[in-house]
Amino acid sequence: MNNEIERRRTFAIIAHPDAGKTSLTEKLLLFGGQIQVAGAVKSNKIKKTATSDWMDIEKQRGISVTTSVMEFDYNDYKINILDTPGHQDFAEDTYRTLTAVDSVIIVVDGAKGVETQTRKLMEVCRMRNTPVIIFVNKMDREAKDPFDLLDELEEELVISVRPLTWPIESGPRFKGVYNLYEHKLNLFQPSKQVVTEKVEVDIHTEELDNQIGASLAEKLRGELELVDGVYPEFNVEEYLKGDMAPVFFGSALNNFGVQELLDTFVEIAPSPRPTKTEEREVKPDESKFTGFVFKITANIDPNHRSCIAFCKVCSGRFSRNTPYYHVRHDKTMRFSSPTQFMAQRKTTVDEAWAGDIIGLPDNGTFKIGDTLTEGEKLHFRGIPSFSPEMFKYIENADPMKQKQLAKGIDQLMDEGVAQLFVNQFNGRKIIGTVGQLQFEVIQYRLENEYNAKCRWEPVSLYKACWVESDDPEELEAFKKRKYQYMAKDREGRDVFLADSNYVLQMAQMDFKHIKFHFTSEF
Ligand code: G4P
């Protein structure tokens, strides 16, 4: 069992849209033998086939809404890549996916550097000390100076960096990368199909001049000296603690620098790590199975109106048709057709190990965060809700369909599509999302799946924050003062709906003993 767990690498690739996540994923699948030629999974095609068929609206909008899992073997390793939605309106989905991975690869566009979405996702990684490897992509295009880029990464992502490869120029002059730990030169040849040969060179000899020309050789020697002087030695322990990120340069589109990334990744990236529960820490090599649901997607198969609950196996071995304990329902269940996902297919699995993701057919039995065990009452932690950024009142637009609407809202919230708050003052329901698109998805799905109609009405809010205090009197006083702005979330927790940043700041000043949280887990 230890061997099975040790060889697993479960991770996500995160990036700002367009940085090259799809292209990199494709190349990794290529190395894993999951696809035969590059270009088979054209840009965005992973999104369009593997996931988008699952939900009609995605086809219409041409964007990826859901998260899928791809798995393959590489050398002795079993790789699980958790794909994340390309569109930033579904960032919440990505946040949750990050709770199920053991490490991440961040893709940054060499010309654009750190962009908003990357910054936000990194914050989530930092909350959980997730180990991070950075891939600076699109070096075949004019990129920023590598030293400036590294400074930017360090500053904006708040992590110390150590380059493991070094680029020789960029854009049309891009010559390749020098591998700092293998001391090999990897010359660039623009091609989607060919993986370039590496040449071993002693950078202090004329061989380097012969390979890349005297002036570039001189420049490279100078830069490498500077790199050694400026950056600390790469330290795996620090990487595993989430304090240091190794950096690679390359071009995903040209399959350049990807193999180095993958080879280093499988070697240093962590195998499944222990997971925290309310009760205790669960170690991956415990003999009994435990797992939690981090993601639910609807309509994977358009012919059957069922959902799939994605469950991360946290310990032990999961077997098909074995009774497991659903902690929230206090019920035993068995699963006859759990699935695993290969690039674009899903297959039934008989067993899965800690680190794997399994898809469980779901007809409303699961909620995000649900736990399965062999009998122990455990509650996994670390699937927080983040304060939404957009809010609207949801109203019933068809009086005959009140029940359907309530059921639809309930189930969509269980899936984690958005967050529901009930205003305690007027009893109205407020839906909070991170993007406009989610409102459209909700409306569409309510109509198509629940035969219910909703209408949105504006509400001007800045943020929702969860409030708590050790001083019950002050909390009561606060709730009284802000009674028009107090709501409950679905777990019945108190939420303050601040209508502006100013109001929030004043509240924080006036009520010193109240803690205002911007995630639901504190
Ligand atoms: P994403 O999943 O992060 O959104 O990015 P994706 O891989 O889809 O890449 C976004 C665009 O950037 C694509 O171009 C892709 O071809 C291009 N790209 C990715 N990696 C590289 C690279 O290393 N070098 C260069 N020059 N371009 C790269 P597109 O025009 O949007 O799509 P397509 O016409 O290639 O299908």
Side-chain angles (χ1 to χ4, degrees), residues 64-203:
S64 169
V65 179
T66 50
T67 304
S68 74
V69 186
M70 284 156 280
E71 47 156 78
F72 60 85
D73 284 301
Y74 179 71
N75 297 338
D76 292 333
Y77 298 96
K78 161 94 188 287
I79 313 248
N80 295 314
I81 307 180
L82 275 61
D83 191 19
T84 50
H87 199 286
Q88 63 198 43
D89 280 9
F90 296 92
E92 178 96 25
D93 230 62
T94 306
Y95 300 155
R96 274 195 297 263
T97 299
L98 293 181
T99 64
V101 301
D102 299 304
S103 69
V104 303
I105 293 180
I106 298 182
V107 184
V108 174
D109 182 327
K112 296 198 178 133
V114 178
E115 296 170 88
T116 37
Q117 200 58 13
T118 326
R119 212 173 291 125
K120 278 195 198 166
L121 294 170
M122 182 65 199
E123 273 170 37
V124 182
C125 294
R126 224 176 302 116
M127 279 166 62
R128 308 181 63 249
N129 301 323
T130 310
V132 165
I133 297 182
I134 300 172
F135 183 74
V136 180
N137 190 28
K138 304 197 188 181
M139 292 307 292
D140 60 318
R141 290 217 188 132
E142 217 59 64
K144 292 186 184 182
D145 173 79
F147 285 108
D148 290 348
L149 260 171
L150 292 172
D151 281 352
E152 187 179 328
L153 290 169
E154 213 154 47
E155 216 162 277
E156 302 260 344
L157 301 181
V158 200
I159 191 163
S160 64
V161 296
R162 166 78 204 187
L164 291 187
T165 62
W166 192 256
I168 305 164
E169 303 292 290
S170 69
R173 290 170 283 88
F174 183 49
K175 284 280 179 299
V177 294
Y178 181 75
N179 193 319
L180 288 147
Y181 59 98
E182 284 182 341
H183 306 289
K184 282 182 183 164
L185 197 61
N186 194 355
L187 291 173
F188 177 64
Q189 193 185 339
S191 160
K192 289 181 192 166
Q193 310 293 352
V194 183
V195 180
T196 42
E197 288 292 315
K198 281 179 231 169
V199 247
E200 207 148 340
V201 285
D202 180 345
I203 55 164

Side-chain angles (χ1 to χ4, degrees), residues 15-23 42-44 47 137-138 140-141 251-254:
H16 191 85
D18 257 5
K21 182 163 65 73
T22 310
S23 308
K42 268 282 287 166
S43 184
N44 296 337
K47 300 169 198 167
N137 190 28
K138 304 197 188 181
D140 60 318
R141 290 217 188 132
S251 165
L253 186 68
N254 292 292

